[in-house]
């Protein structure tokens, strides 16, 4: 089987934690080069991989098929454009880009050159989200009227990192918000309107660290929330429908496991702690039926397996560039809503 030769651009948290470990265990891929200023770190993790100093050294290598871009968001557009024009397939870390027009231009180039362009919205393969989606697909909850997700943290002190400094694509709405928005759009499609409150709560904050976004549909309200000064978390998911409710605490374990150096090499990967199994309550007549629902296993590997199928067999990308663009449009609407203190209606819906 022909291996897909990969160049990883950037080896910070994203490249080292979310991409390299997955690519290194999949037989369809071979990491050939990594762009990084930290040669020691790369070689500690990836012994036989060449460390280079620039994107150009990836693009000038004819053996490399795929560029995985994990740099700060403000660099995504230019790096992806260069990579596509050089004939490379591209995966962009989320958010795809900062401006909608940038995404539209990249989509056009990828289509003209018949290249795969995908966005790494990996949290579609979180164990909790997969479980919620299955319950919805199975009709267990009936018609959904309220879908509420929290991604809260306790990080009250501003840290010295690009995401917390003013700049393109910084702040929590672009960071965690893009995950929650992508999940919601994956389930429900584009909303009719967006109403949002986005601001900073931390002392000396320079970017947004709090958001409360409401996506409005006919009879459905999607509530996406994140705070950075939350010492003790409430439910992660609260989903209510005409037949029942599902309440789930806890966070998918894959990020923590990858951060600890673990790799998805056996069937235990992505398993939830039984302590965090969700509670399903359904109504039959006058009776409430209470059940504990075992969480499905999470699987970030599924994303990259589907990418391989896209590149080698022409199948649809696991997250399309158009889906990445839709997330940016909702983020734009959320900022506009928060600034103007009004609902923003989405064109075409």
């Amino acid at each position: 089987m022909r291996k897909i030769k990969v160049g990883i651009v950037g080896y910070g948290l994203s490249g080292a934690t979310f991409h390299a470990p997955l690519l290194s265990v999949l037989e369809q891929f071979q990491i050939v080069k990594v762009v990084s200023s930290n040669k020691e770190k790369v070689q500690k993790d990836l012994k036989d991989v060449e460390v280079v100093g620039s994107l150009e050294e990836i693009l000038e290598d004819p053996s490399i098929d795929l560029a995985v871009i994990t740099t700060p968001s403000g660099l995504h557009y230019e790096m992806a454009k260069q990579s596509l024009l050089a004939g490379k397939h591209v995966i962009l870390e989320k958010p795809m880009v900062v401006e909608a027009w940038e995404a539209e231009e990249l989509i056009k180039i990828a289509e003209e050159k018949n290249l795969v362009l995908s966005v790494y919205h990996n949290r579609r393969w979180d164990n909790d989200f997969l479980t919620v989606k299955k319950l919805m697909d199975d009709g267990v909850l009936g018609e959904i009227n309220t879908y509420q997700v929290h991604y809260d943290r306790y990080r009250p002190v501003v840290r010295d990192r690009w995401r917390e400094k003013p700049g393109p694509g910084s702040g929590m709405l672009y960071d965690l918000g893009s995950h929650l928005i992508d999940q919601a759009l994956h389930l429900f499609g584009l909303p009719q309107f967006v109403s949002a409150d986005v601001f900073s709560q931390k002392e000396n904050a320079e970017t947004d660290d709090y958001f409360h976004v409401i996506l409005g549909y006919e009879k459905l309200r999607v509530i996406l929330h994140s705070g950075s000064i939350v010492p003790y978390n409430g439910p992660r998911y609260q989903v209510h429908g005409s037949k029942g409710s599902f309440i789930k605490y806890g966070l998918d374990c894959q990020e923590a496991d990858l951060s600890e150096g673990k790799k998805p090499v056996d069937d235990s990967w992505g398993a939830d702690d039984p302590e965090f199994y969700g509670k399903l309550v359904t109504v039959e007549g006058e009776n409430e039926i209470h059940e504990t629902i075992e969480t499905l296993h999470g699987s970030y590997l599924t994303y990259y397996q589907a990418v391989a199928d896209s590149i080698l067999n022409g199948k649809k990308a696991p997250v399309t560039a158009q889906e990445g663009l839709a997330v940016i449009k909702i983020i734009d609407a959320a900022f506009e809503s928060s600034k103007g203190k009004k609902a923003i209606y989405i064109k075409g819906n």
Side-chain angles (χ1 to χ4, degrees):
M1 180 182 68
R2 180 176 82 82
K3 286 185 179 288
I4 298 165
K5 303 291 181 66
V6 180
I8 298 177
V9 186
Y11 205 72
L13 172 65
S14 174
T17 303
F18 288 106
H19 295 274
L22 305 182
L23 289 162
S24 66
V25 301
L26 288 170
E27 62 180 7
Q28 300 100 317
F29 296 93
Q30 179 184 350
I31 303 171
V32 176
K33 292 180 180 178
V34 173
V35 179
S36 176
S37 59
N38 193 339
K39 184 174 182 178
E40 187 176 313
K41 179 183 177 183
V42 177
Q43 292 185 331
K44 180 182 176 184
D45 296 342
L46 306 167
K47 292 182 175 56
D48 299 324
V49 171
E50 184 180 354
V51 182
V52 297
S54 68
L55 172 63
E56 285 68 30
E57 290 172 88
I58 298 283
L59 304 186
E60 291 168 1
D61 186 337
S63 73
I64 292 179
D65 307 293
L66 171 65
V68 178
I69 298 172
T70 73
T71 53
S73 305
L75 302 175
H76 286 186
Y77 162 70
E78 196 58 50
M79 286 186 160
K81 183 177 180 179
Q82 290 179 51
S83 301
L84 291 168
L85 290 174
K88 310 300 185 186
H89 301 289
V90 173
I91 290 172
L92 281 167
E93 180 55 78
K94 61 80 205 163
M96 180 183 183
V97 286
V98 179
E99 303 287 348
W101 69 264
E102 296 174 329
E104 290 165 351
E105 184 176 337
L106 295 178
I107 289 168
K108 183 179 179 182
I109 295 170
E111 288 175 349
E112 288 174 350
K113 290 188 163 289
N114 195 29
L115 293 166
V116 173
L117 172 61
S118 180
V119 187
Y120 190 63
H121 281 297
N122 59 308
R123 291 195 178 275
R124 288 191 195 181
W125 292 273
D126 275 359
N127 56 25
D128 45 16
F129 180 73
L130 290 173
T131 305
V132 167
K133 186 175 185 299
K134 185 175 190 304
L135 290 171
M136 290 175 53
D137 289 345
D138 290 347
V140 173
L141 300 172
E143 183 180 358
I144 306 301
N145 57 67
T146 308
Y147 170 94
Q148 182 167 344
V149 192
H150 276 241
Y151 201 150
D152 295 320
R153 292 170 166 174
Y154 185 62
R155 294 183 178 176
V157 178
V158 175
R159 298 189 296 174
D160 183 19
R161 59 180 198 142
W162 73 264
R163 290 194 185 278
E164 297 188 56
K165 296 181 182 299
S170 63
M172 280 300 100
L173 185 59
Y174 274 110
D175 185 14
L176 302 185
S178 66
H179 283 310
L180 301 189
I181 291 168
D182 175 71
Q183 289 176 336
L185 299 185
H186 185 57
L187 292 176
F188 305 112
L190 285 172
Q192 294 172 331
F193 67 84
V194 178
S195 179
D197 187 21
V198 185
F199 68 105
S200 56
Q201 291 184 323
K202 296 180 186 180
E203 187 175 353
N204 300 318
E206 297 181 271
T207 59
D208 59 277
D209 53 47
Y210 170 100
F211 63 80
H212 189 86
V213 177
I214 299 173
L215 307 183
Y217 299 79
E218 288 286 347
K219 296 182 179 179
L220 164 69
R221 292 296 178 266
V222 168
I223 301 162
L224 311 175
H225 181 97
S226 179
S228 299
I229 314 175
V230 182
Y232 188 80
N233 284 348
R236 169 109 166 123
Y237 280 90
Q238 298 180 70
V239 186
H240 306 289
S242 57
K243 294 180 181 178
S245 296
F246 182 68
I247 310 296
K248 172 87 172 68
Y249 287 78
L251 186 65
D252 178 276
C253 58
Q254 292 176 91
E255 178 178 355
D257 286 346
L258 289 167
S259 296
E260 292 174 7
K262 299 176 184 176
K263 291 187 177 183
V265 292
D266 60 44
D267 292 340
S268 69
W269 183 261
D272 200 10
D273 186 329
E275 174 189 354
F276 296 122
Y277 287 175
K279 305 300 180 184
L280 173 66
V281 179
T282 50
V283 179
E284 291 187 6
E286 299 296 317
N287 299 319
E288 283 187 359
I289 300 170
H290 292 247
E291 301 175 68
T292 298
I293 302 298
E294 182 176 349
T295 310
L296 298 178
H297 285 211
S299 178
Y300 295 164
L301 277 181
T302 299
Y303 173 86
Y304 267 115
Q305 288 165 336
V307 166
D309 213 14
S310 298
I311 292 173
L312 297 174
N313 303 313
K315 298 297 177 70
K316 182 180 176 182
V319 180
T320 67
Q322 286 80 3
E323 290 170 322
L325 167 60
V327 171
I328 301 305
K329 287 182 175 180
I330 298 300
I331 290 174
D332 287 346
F335 277 122
E336 185 181 351
S337 169
S338 183
K339 184 177 180 180
K341 302 188 186 308
K342 61 181 181 180
I344 303 300
Y345 283 79
I346 305 301
K347 292 178 181 179
N349 271 26

